[in-house]
Amino acid sequence: MQENGEKGERMVYREKEYKCGIDATLAVVGGKWKASILWHLSQRTMRFSDLQRQFSGTTRKMLTQQLRELETDGLVHREVYPQVPPKVEYSLTPKGTTIIPILDRMCAWAKEYLQ
């Protein structure tokens, strides 16, 4: 297992310093919906209404907030098409795709754990 960080290594996210990579990762993708949003977007580009159907247990406001945070963090790309009615699609950025192996491993771990 790796150490929590190299000596002198600073990990700062939203003006908070982290000494452990796990804590920093959870700060970025933690929360009730973010990891699941990223997993769904790893499968395909999705419109907001598609995501809303996947997350029927959340409000429109909460889903929008989670997507905006992921966009701000550079993990999700939001494409707005100039048409009426407006069409908005979400996809993973190249940085966002780097979390896919971690999400896949989390899914595998859960299946093993729950057997």
Side-chain angles (χ1 to χ4, degrees), residues 8-114:
E9 181 181 342
R10 285 184 66 214
M11 293 179 285
V12 179
Y13 172 70
R14 295 195 180 174
E15 300 180 17
K16 183 174 179 186
E17 187 171 337
Y18 294 89
K19 295 179 182 174
C20 175
I22 293 171
D23 292 337
T25 301
L26 291 174
V28 177
V29 299
K32 190 166 184 178
W33 307 107
K34 285 183 181 178
S36 293
I37 290 168
L38 292 167
W39 185 83
H40 282 286
L41 291 177
S42 75
Q43 309 302 304
R44 64 185 173 95
T45 297
M46 299 179 80
R47 293 181 69 174
F48 184 83
S49 58
D50 297 329
L51 286 164
Q52 210 170 16
R53 278 192 286 281
Q54 293 295 324
F55 300 100
S56 59
T58 187
T59 64
R60 180 180 185 89
K61 179 182 174 184
M62 179 56 72
L63 183 56
T64 299
Q65 178 184 337
Q66 300 282 282
L67 286 163
R68 291 276 164 85
E69 288 177 13
L70 290 168
E71 184 183 5
T72 298
D73 293 337
L75 300 177
V76 168
H77 172 72
R78 179 176 184 257
E79 183 74 33
V80 180
Y81 295 92
Q83 64 186 50
V84 177
K87 178 182 173 183
V88 179
E89 291 183 337
Y90 294 90
S91 59
L92 293 183
T93 63
K95 185 186 270 188
T97 61
T98 63
I99 192 108
I100 294 170
I102 297 166
L103 298 175
D104 287 342
R105 187 63 200 123
M106 287 172 64
C107 286
W109 180 86
K111 288 175 184 175
E112 291 171 18
Y113 178 77
L114 295 174

